[in-house]
Amino acid sequence: MVSGAALFFKDLTRVEQLAERDRLRDRLAALGEMAAAIAHEVKNPLAGIQITAGLLNRQVPDSDDAQALLSDIISEATTANTIVVDVLEFVRPISLEVERTSVPDVLRDAIARTIGHEARGQVEITTAVDDRLPDIQGDHTQLRQLFTNLLINAFEALGGTGRVAVAATHVPSDDVVWTLDLADGAGSVMIDLTDDGPGIPADVTEKIFSPFFTTKPRGSGLGLAIVRKIVDAHDGRVDVSPRPEGGTRFRITLPVACEIETLRGGADRAAVK
């Protein structure tokens, strides 16, 4: 006679995330070997094209047609060289310089860096970041690159007009659905970066973090892939979702005390508490 039943539920989100991280590491290892072999063969001819076109450009100063063609050659060679450099940067293993890191300081640096390098236009940036947020164990430079990439992505999506909002809060471990099994219950710092742009089509949302996937005419498809790589190295999580009022929200969750995985060929794990 059956007197009752017991049901057990387990959140497999973290298990799936770790499995995907392992798959990504395997792909990067293979891609890294190929990229290293190709880089030398490609970069030197590209440099030769740029130098030769520059020399020719100075020899035909009176020919507008020749000037235009040579400028196009230099521009395209520069773009190709940038893609090669981006690929090498992406496949290179991350070596984290782990230290106590202030998330507000990282966000301020990322905003200043983005404004200094990208055409801001009429884009308004608002922040709601508590300076009393607990420090995390992380690499300031890598985290700054992470948020710079997200801000550049938002600027490009807005096309010169709109609003970007950056918010960061501390979430105690009891309030986090996704957990890293933190021994001290310190919780996580959750950073939301939202824009009121056109949003990301539903059919490409699952692909945007894949290497070399892009919807931009001249994009390399590595900006968001690098974001995910850095987040994974910090044992964090990145989520993207549409906003009900329009636009996109990227949410980065970083544990206050975590076990950092240093991607040095996929072999090392450095425990940081």
Side-chain angles (χ1 to χ4, degrees):
M1 178 178 178
V2 178
S3 59
L7 298 177
F8 296 92
F9 297 91
K10 184 175 182 180
D11 185 359
L12 297 178
T13 301
R14 183 60 178 157
V15 176
E16 293 177 356
Q17 185 185 31
L18 290 173
E20 175 59 26
R21 181 183 300 179
D22 289 339
R23 289 192 293 269
L24 176 61
R25 185 164 49 230
D26 292 340
R27 290 197 299 269
L28 289 180
L31 185 59
E33 294 178 4
M34 180 183 67
I38 293 175
H40 178 73
E41 302 298 329
V42 174
K43 285 180 66 67
N44 287 343
L46 285 175
I49 291 171
Q50 289 176 285
I51 293 172
T52 303
L55 292 173
L56 285 174
N57 200 30
R58 287 195 284 271
Q59 293 182 14
V60 288
D62 299 327
S63 175
D64 292 338
D65 291 340
Q67 290 276 323
L69 290 172
L70 290 168
S71 294
D72 288 342
I73 292 172
I74 294 172
S75 176
E76 294 300 325
T78 301
T79 300
N81 187 68
T82 299
I83 292 174
V84 172
V85 171
D86 287 346
V87 170
L88 288 175
E89 183 65 27
F90 177 70
V91 301
R92 184 179 295 120
I94 291 180
S95 180
L96 296 179
E97 298 293 334
V98 179
E99 59 185 354
R100 292 183 65 86
T101 302
S102 167
V103 173
D105 287 348
V106 170
L107 293 173
R108 278 191 287 266
D109 286 355
I111 292 172
R113 185 184 181 92
T114 305
I115 293 175
H117 291 81
E118 292 293 315
R120 180 173 178 177
Q122 301 300 314
V123 176
E124 176 188 359
I125 301 178
T126 61
T127 60
V129 180
D130 189 347
D131 284 332
R132 297 170 297 177
L133 287 173
D135 290 343
I136 66 171
Q137 295 285 354
D139 185 313
H140 183 104
T141 301
Q142 296 289 345
L143 291 172
R144 180 183 63 190
Q145 182 64 50
L146 184 164
F147 293 110
T148 299
N149 284 8
L150 288 178
L151 286 166
I152 290 174
N153 193 67
F155 275 38
E156 292 177 348
L158 291 172
T161 179
R163 180 180 178 182
V164 174
V166 181
T169 57
H170 174 226
V171 184
S173 57
D174 291 343
D175 296 336
V176 183
V177 175
W178 159 77
T179 178
L180 288 169
D181 298 326
L182 301 177
D184 55 8
S188 303
V189 174
M190 188 166 63
I191 305 99
D192 283 346
L193 193 150
T194 61
D195 65 67
D196 58 359
I200 300 174
D203 60 333
V204 302
T205 301
E206 296 298 323
K207 305 175 184 177
I208 60 174
F209 294 109
S210 299
F212 311 113
F213 176 83
T214 181
T215 58
K216 302 171 185 175
R218 299 179 68 85
S220 65
L222 291 175
L224 292 179
I226 290 172
V227 165
R228 182 169 183 175
K229 182 180 177 182
I230 296 173
V231 170
D232 285 347
H234 285 81
D235 216 4
R237 175 171 173 171
V238 55
D239 297 289
V240 59
S241 59
R243 300 171 67 226
E245 61 271 38
T248 304
R249 181 193 71 186
F250 282 89
R251 170 167 290 175
I252 308 296
T253 309
L254 299 170
V256 172
C258 63
E259 191 174 72
I260 300 292
E261 180 173 6
T262 305
L263 300 179
R264 293 173 181 162
D268 298 341
R269 279 187 74 83
V272 180
K273 296 294 184 184

